Amino acid sequence: MQDVLEQAKEVLQILHDNGHEAYIVGGAVRDSLLGIPVHDVDIATSAKPEEVMALFPRTFPIGIRHGTVLVRHRHIDYEVTTFRSEYGYRDRRHPDRVVFEDSIEKDLARRDFTINAIAMGLNGEYVDPFGGREDIRRRRLRTVGRARERFREDPLRMLRAVRFIGQLDLEPDPELVEALQEERRLIGYVAVERIRDEMTKFLSAKWVARGLKMIRATRLHEVLPYIKERPDLAFEKADSADYTVLETDVERWSAFWLALDVRDQALEAALRTYRFSNKALKAVLSLARAFVARRIREPDRETVYRYGVDAVLAVERLKKAFGLIETVDEAAVRAIADRLPIGNRKDLAVDGHDLQRWLAKEGGPWMREAMEAIERAVVRGDVENEPKAIRKWVNTWLAPKIKS
Ligand code: ATP
Ligand code: MG
């Protein structure tokens, strides 16, 4: 049993001791059965939110209307949610009504997939009314109930399906695949931020190529924001990148759009459509640009100096993802950085005043160009970062070129 689950059982125990039922539910149970690390633990309980808040000293009402209270116990946060069912999804986004229930079975019935609808009790016993454990054993993804109905209630579940297929290497039930294809247009009702966040998780999945194939096979891409407006894009190229070598969401999103040949202004438009934050938008744009500009260049002193180790390594990983290089030589890039004579322009041994004195010239636009040339020469190692050496270099190489 993983430690996180053992810890969570203390929370179950407290709820039990006060006369409530409580179970670990959702991803934590699923992942522990799959033998992969559990990151956060969700708890379902018969206790009402006020009762949960009264029992634990440190709580935050994060979704009280839906029955969710965040409980902090021994420095770990748990989402504790009252057993509930959901009715009506007229806007295809939110249930019209959330009803608190008194049984775990009813709570499990509202969940999306059988593998996510298993509860684990205090003594390690399972409540598994939909055969989730059997599906985990057979690595099968099935909805709880009819797939089409469940996708109509909340179309985001279609993207969650693709995400779980890619994350956990699951074989989707034929009924689920058919429902994806039949109901795909309902993705149009999902808030673009939710689509984006689900796709972000999906792109970091271990078997992302598998998920991408599922998207293609069911033509889900035809309804995805931005991509739906660009029938000219070859979505089959989306898996021409090996996303598993990439380390950040920025790298993965860059690879995704580069694979589809979406760059420059089109890339900016795509990122805006997905409502990325300005910070994320800039990061993806500049990484994609750096990749395109330097796809054939080796990381050298100039690139490491200009862009920094992290950005150069990100470009190297992109190159590897697209099969342009065999390995990312991180140590070599770091060695280049360590040996750089200067960290930035301010570290230069000379400044504009020195130049003016040496060349007996008035200040002007020539100075900026000259300083840039000196900076480049020092970074490249053409000249030592030392006033005398630089003066000599300026007289030999630079002075003849400076226009008066
Ligand atoms: P992970 O946290 O690894 O992304 P998870 O399965 O825990 O995966 P969450 O989004 O944290 O996913 O949701 C917790 C649980 O809530 C799920 O396991 C599932 O039972 C239920 N759930 C989440 N989203 C939905 C949904 N859109 N429809 C139905 N049930 C859902
Ligand atoms: Mg979770």
Side-chain angles (χ1 to χ4, degrees), residues 160-223:
R160 283 175 60 86
V162 170
R163 193 245 293 187
F164 288 123
I165 290 168
Q167 249 177 4
L168 308 171
D169 191 25
L170 303 176
E171 186 66 49
D173 196 62
E175 189 213 334
L176 187 154
V177 177
E178 199 182 302
L180 279 180
Q181 189 155 351
E182 299 287 328
E183 303 297 345
R184 66 181 184 279
R185 283 182 192 82
L186 298 178
I187 291 286
Y189 288 97
V190 180
V192 70
E193 291 86 349
R194 292 180 84 199
I195 297 177
R196 180 197 63 210
D197 292 347
E198 206 51 54
M199 283 177 69
T200 302
K201 287 184 190 171
F202 163 66
L203 288 176
S204 70
K206 201 161 161 193
W207 291 276
V208 59
R210 180 153 198 190
L212 286 168
K213 286 202 177 71
M214 183 54 46
I215 292 181
R216 246 177 75 205
T218 56
R219 294 162 58 191
L220 255 176
H221 60 285
E222 291 175 3
V223 297

Side-chain angles (χ1 to χ4, degrees), residues 24-38:
I24 298 172
V25 287
V29 181
R30 178 196 68 219
D31 291 346
S32 74
L33 285 164
L34 282 161
I36 60 182
V38 169

Side-chain angles (χ1 to χ4, degrees), residues 279-305:
K279 189 170 162 230
L281 182 135
K282 279 194 191 133
V284 173
L285 272 179
S286 85
L287 177 57
R289 246 186 241 127
F291 171 75
V292 173
R294 292 175 296 136
R295 64 190 313 167
I296 38 186
R297 268 182 75 171
E298 300 280 309
D300 57 17
R301 287 163 157 239
E302 267 183 278
T303 47
V304 174
Y305 174 75

Side-chain angles (χ1 to χ4, degrees), residues 34-228:
L34 282 161
I36 60 182
V38 169
H39 46 100
D40 45 35
V41 178
D42 296 329
I43 292 172
T45 179
S46 59
K48 301 292 180 289
E50 324 68 82
E51 294 174 313
V52 174
M53 295 186 69
L55 276 178
F56 295 90
R58 294 165 70 71
T59 62
F60 309 87
I62 54 169
I64 212 96
R65 280 183 42 232
H66 298 109
T68 304
V69 173
L70 192 79
V71 170
R72 185 163 295 163
H73 179 73
R74 293 186 194 268
H75 307 290
I76 301 176
D77 289 341
Y78 301 91
E79 275 188 25
V80 179
T81 305
T82 306
F83 295 157
R84 64 170 213 231
S85 47
E86 297 166 350
Y87 293 94
Y89 281 84
R90 272 173 305 190
D91 65 354
R92 301 200 191 278
R93 290 186 179 199
H94 312 285
D96 298 336
R97 203 153 58 89
V98 165
V99 175
F100 292 148
E101 298 284 357
D102 49 18
S103 85
I104 182 69
E105 284 83 2
K106 284 184 183 151
D107 183 85
L108 294 175
R110 74 171 166 90
R111 295 173 183 271
D112 47 6
F113 303 105
T114 60
I115 60 168
N116 289 342
I118 310 167
M120 182 199 262
L122 195 48
N123 304 310
E125 77 281 13
Y126 292 101
V127 183
D128 180 16
F130 307 104
R133 279 175 302 170
E134 175 65 9
D135 284 340
I136 286 177
R137 255 194 300 281
R138 298 171 57 173
R139 304 197 84 82
R140 203 164 55 172
L141 187 70
R142 275 195 309 137
T143 49
V144 170
R146 308 283 305 167
R148 287 186 75 157
E149 280 166 33
R150 302 313 307 282
F151 291 165
R152 278 185 208 156
E153 278 175 0
D154 178 3
L156 182 75
R157 289 172 186 155
M158 293 192 265
L159 286 177
R160 283 175 60 86
V162 170
R163 193 245 293 187
F164 288 123
I165 290 168
Q167 249 177 4
L168 308 171
D169 191 25
L170 303 176
E171 186 66 49
D173 196 62
E175 189 213 334
L176 187 154
V177 177
E178 199 182 302
L180 279 180
Q181 189 155 351
E182 299 287 328
E183 303 297 345
R184 66 181 184 279
R185 283 182 192 82
L186 298 178
I187 291 286
Y189 288 97
V190 180
V192 70
E193 291 86 349
R194 292 180 84 199
I195 297 177
R196 180 197 63 210
D197 292 347
E198 206 51 54
M199 283 177 69
T200 302
K201 287 184 190 171
F202 163 66
L203 288 176
S204 70
K206 201 161 161 193
W207 291 276
V208 59
R210 180 153 198 190
L212 286 168
K213 286 202 177 71
M214 183 54 46
I215 292 181
R216 246 177 75 205
T218 56
R219 294 162 58 191
L220 255 176
H221 60 285
E222 291 175 3
V223 297
L224 290 177
Y226 187 80
I227 297 166
K228 69 178 172 205

